[in-house]
Amino acid sequence: KQEVTQIPAALSVPEGENLVLNCSFTDSAIYNLQWFRQDPGKGLTSLLLIQSSQREQTSGRLNASLDKSSGRSTLYIAASQPGDSATYLCAVRFNAGNMLTFGGGTRLMVKP
Amino acid sequence: SAVISQKPSRDICQRGTSLTIQCQVDSQVTMMFWYRQQPGQSLTLIATANQGSEATYESGFVIDKFPISRPNLTFSTLTVSNMSPEDSSIYLCSVKGGSSYNEQFFGPGTRLTVL
């Protein structure tokens, strides 16, 4: 069964800290992987898309890496700010189809 | 990126009634999807909305409960039928296959509460 797991489920850090969110998946034959942000009660905002042929993508203070062989992706957030507080979701499109399989998310709180 | 709007943004409904949620995209897209997010949970795909034909439902979801329409490349509706409190969730429209072909985008969601 193709599954996506995110650890930790929740994380609290002081403002300014650099942090890493983890995502693991059970099948290395992926098509692409996306990181999303979700604010409470809201929809999802796409942060970064990594194709299977890529190893990382960067946008501002965010950097996402992909290691297919180990079934892992990380989302690195530099110099965290209280506005970064949200739930971060990792989603994988496995080769079998168009469906995105979501992890359970990491709920991040950045304290001022 | 695609701009997606959903109506209504939230609703409170009585048990046994039905609600239709609309999804409008600002550009033509190949794929449209409907997801459900139950309280405290991650997202679950309900179905893929196909233009001009019946939607493709995921395991555990059926057309009688969640009828879907997609009359064109920018619009879709999801109906939640004969609602029960267990249907209380956020329902999200999602699209793929626009100008950013491989990237998937989500609407703001419809927060449904069933009493």
Side-chain angles (χ1 to χ4, degrees), chain B residues 1 4 18 24-25 30 45 54 58-59 62 83 94 105:
Chain B
S1 64
I4 306 168
S18 298
Q24 179 74 55
V25 193
T30 306
L45 179 64
E54 192 172 290
E58 297 300 310
S59 175
V62 295
M83 289 184 284
S94 179
F105 300 98

Side-chain angles (χ1 to χ4, degrees), chain A residues 31-32 34 36 38 40-49 51 89 93 98-105, chain B residues 10 31 33 35 37 40-45 58 90 92 94 96 101-109 111:
Chain A
Y31 185 73
N32 60 34
Q34 248 178 293
F36 294 91
Q38 185 176 31
K42 305 293 185 182
L44 277 65
T45 300
S46 179
L47 297 174
L48 290 163
L49 168 70
Q51 300 287 29
L89 292 157
R93 180 167 283 108
N98 278 304
M99 179 175 155
L100 273 181
T101 301
F102 280 84
Chain B
R10 60 175 58 216
M31 310 290 292
F33 309 93
Y35 286 79
Q37 187 176 31
Q41 304 294 315
S42 191
L43 279 74
T44 301
L45 179 64
E58 297 300 310
I90 298 175
L92 296 125
S94 179
K96 176 180 171 291
Y101 187 76
N102 286 314
E103 195 167 1
Q104 191 159 333
F105 300 98
F106 284 78
R111 181 185 286 274

